[in-house]
Amino acid sequence: MKDAAPQTVYLRDYNPFGWRIEDVSLTFKLAPEATRVTSRIRFAPNPDAPAQDFFLHGEDVTLLRASIDGAEVTPEITPQGLRCAVPDGAFTWEAEVEIAPASNTALEGLYMSGGMYCTQCEAEGFRKITYYPDRPDVMATFTVRIESDMPVLLSNGNPAGSGDGWAEWHDPWPKPAYLFALVAGDLRNHPDRFTTRSGRDVELNIWVRPGDEGKCAWGMEALKKSMTWDEDVYGREYDLDVFNIVAVDDFNMGAMENKGLNIFNSAAVLASPETATDANFERIESIIAHEYFHNWTGNRITCRDWFQLCLKEGLTVFRDQQFTSDLRSAAVKRIEDVAQLRARQFPEDQGPLSHPVRPESFQEINNFYTATVYEKGAEVIGMLKRLVGDEAYAKALDLYFDRHDGDAATIEDWLQVFEDATGRDLSQFKRWYSQAGTPRLSIHEDWQDGTYTLTFTQVTKPTPGQPDKAPQVIPIAVGLLSPNGDEVVPTRMLEMTEGRQSFAFEGLSARPVPSILRGFSAPVVLDREVPAEERAFLLAHDTDPFNRWESSRSLAREALLAMIRDGAAPDLAWIDALGRVLRDDTLDPAFRALMLGLPSQSELAQVLHEKGATPDPDAIYVATEAMADALAQRFEPMLDALAEQARVDAPYAPDAEQSGKRALGGAALALRSRLDGGEAAQAQFEAADNMTLQLSALTCLIRAGAADLALGVFHDQWQDDRLVMDKWFGLQVAAAGPAEAAAVAERLTRHPAFDWKNPNRFRAVLGALAMNHAGFHRKDGAGYRLLADWLIKLDPLNPQTTARMCSAFQTWWRYDSDRQALMKAELERIAARDGLSRDTAEMIGRILS
Ligand code: 0A1
Ligand code: ZN
């Protein structure tokens, strides 16, 4: 059991571990209820560390025996580990423990999923496997022996021998315990090979449960593309003889970068055209890349402590984003990433869970695998690259890999490399790592005698524990257009460092129209009242695709706000401008599909709150529906032609081109279904030969209230496919109207296939409810109550997933006092549970603070 009394860990308290480890040797005798783990570890004193007790982490493990240099010892056991007297010099520690993987429902450490053994050790799961200094700055080579009658036995590194009922693995690269992995099961593989550019022949495998073999090809292609890309773009090669990926059904997150043995949530790797959508394919491609890229950014260079998590995560997300934009469309990828950032990171940064990209304290590190650490962490790297330029970025990265290969590094190390490579002083830039909150930029314009001056003011509101904010370095990409639509000043990177700062553009013949924050050059909010005509002008003429999209988005948002607040009619001027974009066949269909998307209801709630209004989820829903109806009516004549885009003649491929066409077709079908009651959607549903078309049709049918039949057909067709059934569950809740969503979710939790212990299935229903804005925020509190009931039920089994899902309540402060009271009551009901996990207790404490 974890200790009940929560302890806070501080970055400032860092101290190195008192010993170094030369080598670790582990033997696993696998059995579901009583696995024996023997460890043999060679410790030597660490001359750089202060004097300390010899303490090894260990949780939920039963120590059977321990010895030092062959002599039995009796350590003092605490709930967090053991303490033992040790010799002054080097010594060999040996221990045997027993653990019960079959009873491990938290999915941390060694556990069982669908009859196979697997592990998840990041962040602090290795301590549930054996006693060990479970911290990322203790790195060692590992030799692992697995004894089991399972046919496939895997661990990190290279195979070192196998026989009947056993296998041995050796990982020559020193690594922290969080990168340890073991898998044993009745698995089938999808094999391939890759030759690195220096000639290493690498065996590649994707291991899956019998029956899933046909869903591996895409993941394998993505892996090979990732390996090539990392060689071409970052000069990084793979460094073992084998790279294994295993798909498991029960997994708290997307995937894990264990050295040479990546473990994936099956939803993040398995795909076939019939069972996965284009969006699933794209996500799989990027997650495979992400985990593969960690081999250099995370594994070869790891983190000194968990406060440095963004060192590996921000950089690796940035790298996977670059990969996707190189492979697909850079413009579309940037828009998607910014939309995600605004949907997931901005609410975090603007509410009670706000924390710096590098947090300074935590109770449970699992609670800091956040959008701020990952996505804002990636934005910070993007800004750094924009500020120093591409060439200097490449030089700095080479230096980083040279200087820190084999290290457990810090953000200070990372920034030092950039300072050394460029001669820049990055001390102010470093605030992006320490200061929480989203900076807001307000803008003043001045035009005089051919000189156009932009004056920016930056303000960051107080966040928990940080009342006062200092100015940040903000790269602001600006281009200027002349009134006839020509670009008179191409993109210029302004570097704002002061609280208030002006930038002048001289020698202009007419007052220009500015395009500000092109490509979303910094993760900030622009507070600027822009006249609708100017936005429409940019929508038509901007050369920056991101800002073209942004102009349309802003017009849509303003129009929706006017509908919500003043009962205004939909803005026809914007709709017509959008219509011109949709008809423009020279534009990428994927881009046009994005242009058709409306701001999310949650985003509208946030903006209303910022403008001093109390958001009413029902009114937001009604306005959004009315706007979609207006789009459908106005675009009616072209909808069939647009929907036609989805019918691609070529054989199905989830590439950017085909996916873009299907995305545009899907958006058109959604509008068409508002007019024909779902007739066209029904036809598409019946004819569909891939999941993208089938699912987009089913979504339209649910929204049109015409899905009774189709839902049954879909269920019968896919009841044996776990991943497709997750879609069946999730979609019904996601597409339900506000009055029904909670009831639909509740009914689905009683479905025999609702396996609530499986995180994917749990999230499919309850995560979808939390995302259904008006449904979750139902005035009578039914949505809040249902989610809280299930979080209470899940917490004793799986604290990590429970805690993550508590963030559904993080925006409680935006809403009216009745809803606030209802949400707080649910949070307090959860908090009052006896034996609540440290994970969930910390989250609720922070949300309520
Ligand atoms: N490092 C992985 C994500 C991950 C993090 C924590 C986990 O369990 C607590 C599992 C996976 C990644 O970035 O992909
Ligand atoms: Zn990662």
Side-chain angles (χ1 to χ4, degrees), residues 108 120 122-123 251-257 290-291 294 312-313 366 369 374 800:
E108 275 182 297
Q120 172 53 42
E122 187 176 8
F251 202 77
N252 283 331
M253 310 277 273
M256 179 62 210
E257 69 262 24
H290 180 96
E291 306 310 331
H294 266 315
K312 73 176 178 85
E313 295 305 347
N366 283 343
Y369 287 79
Y374 275 65
Q800 194 184 335

Side-chain angles (χ1 to χ4, degrees), residues 17-21 43-46 49 52-55 86-89 91 138:
F17 183 57
W19 290 263
R20 290 188 180 144
I21 298 184
F43 286 101
N46 176 0
Q52 56 196 272
D53 286 353
F54 181 72
F55 180 81
V86 297
D88 285 340
F91 61 90
V138 175

Side-chain angles (χ1 to χ4, degrees), residues 227-281:
M227 296 177 86
T228 304
W229 187 90
D230 215 16
E231 291 187 353
D232 292 348
V233 180
Y234 279 83
R236 299 295 117 200
E237 279 185 51
Y238 189 60
D239 52 9
L240 290 167
D241 301 332
V242 40
F243 188 85
N244 283 314
I245 288 178
V246 182
V248 307
D249 289 336
D250 301 277
F251 202 77
N252 283 331
M253 310 277 273
M256 179 62 210
E257 69 262 24
N258 317 298
K259 182 81 188 190
L261 177 53
N262 287 189
I263 296 182
F264 274 64
N265 185 325
S266 51
V269 55
L270 300 181
S272 69
E274 298 72 35
T275 60
T277 62
D278 291 332
N280 296 150
F281 278 98

Side-chain angles (χ1 to χ4, degrees), residues 43-84:
F43 286 101
N46 176 0
D48 300 333
Q52 56 196 272
D53 286 353
F54 181 72
F55 180 81
L56 300 180
H57 298 106
E59 283 176 18
D60 303 332
V61 293
T62 308
L63 183 65
L64 302 176
R65 59 177 179 85
S67 68
I68 289 180
D69 292 332
E72 196 148 318
V73 291
T74 317
E76 174 204 341
I77 308 281
T78 76
Q80 287 88 39
L82 63 76
R83 214 175 297 278
C84 191

Side-chain angles (χ1 to χ4, degrees), residues 726-777:
D726 288 336
K727 301 183 197 305
W728 183 84
F729 276 95
L731 192 59
Q732 294 180 67
V733 184
E740 298 90 47
V744 170
E746 197 280 330
R747 175 170 55 72
L748 288 171
T749 61
R750 286 184 279 110
H751 190 283
F754 181 67
D755 172 9
W756 60 276
K757 295 175 189 171
N758 174 268
N760 290 358
R761 191 63 47 96
F762 189 94
R763 280 188 289 254
V765 175
L766 294 143
L769 176 62
M771 301 283 289
N772 182 326
H773 186 256
F776 180 58
H777 291 287

Side-chain angles (χ1 to χ4, degrees), residues 281-300:
F281 278 98
E282 180 174 338
R283 174 165 178 265
I284 288 168
E285 186 178 78
S286 83
I287 298 183
I288 297 251
H290 180 96
E291 306 310 331
Y292 176 73
F293 296 158
H294 266 315
N295 191 55
W296 274 94
T297 51
N299 301 3
R300 289 283 287 259

